[in-house]
Amino acid sequence: AGNTNPSRPLLLSTPKCTCSENRIPTPEGYQLMSHGWQCASGYVGTVKERCRHPLEETTQPELVGCVRVVPCEGGLEESCEHSGSVTCSGIVSAGSSCTVQCKAPFRGSSTTLICPKNNTDSTATPHGRLPACVLECPPPVPMPTGYTWSSSFGWRCSGDHIGAPKVTCSEDPFCSVQTELTGCAP
């Protein structure tokens, strides 16, 4: 009543309400302390008291603002070059970390992925960088005639072969590595 002029702003009075300190039961995610309401353990956010819309059945106040802390979903899909600890491939608890390393025949330093301490996004993956892995060509099986390899000296021409070995390798979509040797001649 009285709001019949379309060019005049809507006049609306919102109900005054406060959250009773003796709510039974206490809403999930909230805890009453001596100084007022706060988020319970396992929840984060800022507690606010909100009155429901006047057109709803009740104007009883409600508490809003606390969100459950959840784990991150597995942050690492196994690949040809990366391998994670079991926890990196599954669920990583909020505030926890997992290690990712290079999978042989790749080489590189391992890295750590971290799920934020107060993670509230159930689709979040752990944060961090994957290691920079470099493919190290493995000795072919069987070893071709005229070539030898050792961890101390690397690739060499063997026996009555001469030259300088050249090593190339490639990886197929199934993570199988093929090593090709050239440069040693009889």
Side-chain angles (χ1 to χ4, degrees), residues 55-123:
L55 298 178
E56 292 183 36
E57 290 179 21
T58 178
T59 57
Q60 181 174 347
E62 65 181 338
L63 296 173
V64 295
C66 293
V67 182
R68 182 186 296 275
V69 174
V70 295
C72 293
E73 291 300 318
L76 177 72
E77 287 187 26
E78 291 288 323
S79 69
C80 293
E81 53 184 291
H82 299 112
S83 176
S85 62
V86 173
T87 57
C88 264
S89 299
I91 292 176
V92 180
S93 298
S96 297
S97 64
C98 59
T99 302
V100 181
Q101 50 210 352
C102 297
K103 190 189 292 184
F106 291 87
R107 296 233 184 250
S109 298
S110 62
T111 60
T112 301
L113 302 181
I114 300 169
C115 181
K117 180 175 82 169
N118 291 330
N119 181 54
T120 58
D121 181 357
S122 62
T123 63

Side-chain angles (χ1 to χ4, degrees), residues 5 18 22 39 45 49 67 76 80 96 104 107 111 136 163 174 181:
N5 184 345
T18 58
N22 52 4
C39 294
E49 297 178 24
V67 182
L76 177 72
C80 293
S96 297
R107 296 233 184 250
T111 60
E136 188 174 274
F174 304 103
L181 301 170

Side-chain angles (χ1 to χ4, degrees), residues 6 11 17 23 47-48 51-52 63 88 90 92 99 104-105 122 147 157-158 165 173:
L11 299 175
C17 60
R23 296 173 73 79
V47 178
K48 293 183 180 170
C51 293
R52 296 180 189 202
L63 296 173
C88 264
V92 180
T99 302
S122 62
Y147 297 89
C157 295
S158 66

